[in-house]
Amino acid sequence: RSLVGSEMCIRDSQKARRARKAKLVVVDPYRTDTAEKADLHLKPRPGTDGALACAVMHVLFEENYADWDYLEQYTDCPQELREHLKHRDPQWASAKTGIPVSQILEFARLYGSSPRSFMRIGYGFTRSRNGATAMHSVNSLPAITGAWNELESGTQTNKAMWLSGVGFWIFGGGYILLMWDDLVRSLS
């Protein structure tokens, strides 16, 4: 089935939320129709998505949400990554993104406590300086938590970004639904 228009995506996300008792988190500097329906709306400054993802990873490591068995078996240099993120905490990211520390912590803890998560990633936030690095940072989140090990979890790049109006989604197997993109616009 093809997704055309943001209203269809919103409708489908609402079905998933009800069926799976999922939370909806939107990461977008604009208050879109989808953001209006969110349980949590994070509004980063454009081009700061990578900083937000790094702060989330920092919290995942520091608050023991990281799946070390998965990291040791399937990733390169997880200890070095943890060390790299030591100083990229929510306070650091808040100064860059404009998102309050409390919201970064709320989101990181929600994501960390949601073992089954599926991310559908759009391209909007990659169209800024260091956009590829931001995409890589966001794609690293399920590796930190070991979500790649779970059925219906991990990430998928949304090749129809321009049609769907959808940014970055996480369909939690009963836990969390997230849209992430700082250039998403409603097409309705």
Side-chain angles (χ1 to χ4, degrees):
R1 163 173 130 192
S2 170
L3 296 179
V4 180
S6 62
E7 289 306 311
M8 182 179 291
C9 296
I10 292 169
R11 185 190 69 224
D12 288 350
S13 71
Q14 295 299 337
K15 285 182 191 177
R17 287 178 73 189
R18 284 190 297 275
R20 300 177 182 175
K21 296 182 174 79
K23 298 276 187 189
L24 173 63
V25 179
V26 174
V27 180
D28 191 323
Y30 300 98
R31 189 76 176 165
T32 62
D33 291 340
T34 306
E36 289 288 331
K37 295 171 175 52
D39 297 298
L40 178 62
H41 177 206
L42 303 177
K43 299 187 329 184
R45 293 181 185 115
T48 63
D49 301 86
L52 176 58
C54 284
V56 171
M57 286 188 278
H58 172 92
V59 173
L60 296 175
F61 279 123
E62 296 306 311
E63 296 190 6
N64 298 315
Y65 292 111
D67 182 340
W68 283 102
D69 291 335
Y70 182 87
L71 286 164
E72 293 294 336
Q73 184 171 357
Y74 296 108
T75 69
D76 295 328
C77 310
Q79 289 292 349
E80 288 88 339
L81 176 60
R82 181 181 189 175
E83 189 61 34
H84 175 74
L85 295 168
K86 281 274 188 199
H87 302 290
R88 285 151 181 90
D89 60 12
Q91 293 77 13
W92 170 84
S94 180
K96 294 191 175 302
T97 65
I99 299 171
V101 170
S102 62
Q103 285 188 336
I104 295 171
L105 287 168
E106 179 182 0
F107 169 60
R109 290 169 178 155
L110 178 62
Y111 183 79
S113 64
S114 304
R116 292 182 63 196
S117 56
F118 173 74
M119 300 182 194
R120 186 171 172 207
I121 304 172
Y123 295 111
F125 68 94
T126 67
R127 294 185 177 116
S128 62
R129 185 170 185 251
N130 298 318
T133 302
M135 173 72 87
H136 182 75
S137 297
V138 170
N139 265 308
S140 295
L141 293 172
I144 305 300
T145 63
W148 288 110
N149 257 348
E150 301 294 331
L151 184 64
E152 300 176 345
S153 300
T155 66
Q156 174 189 358
T157 302
N158 179 9
K159 295 178 182 172
M161 174 64 197
W162 64 276
L163 286 176
S164 68
V166 173
F168 173 96
W169 292 52
I170 300 174
F171 286 97
Y175 302 103
I176 182 174
L177 170 66
L178 169 74
M179 295 184 71
W180 185 322
D181 203 332
D182 59 38
L183 296 176
V184 173
R185 297 290 178 275
S186 173
L187 299 178
S188 58

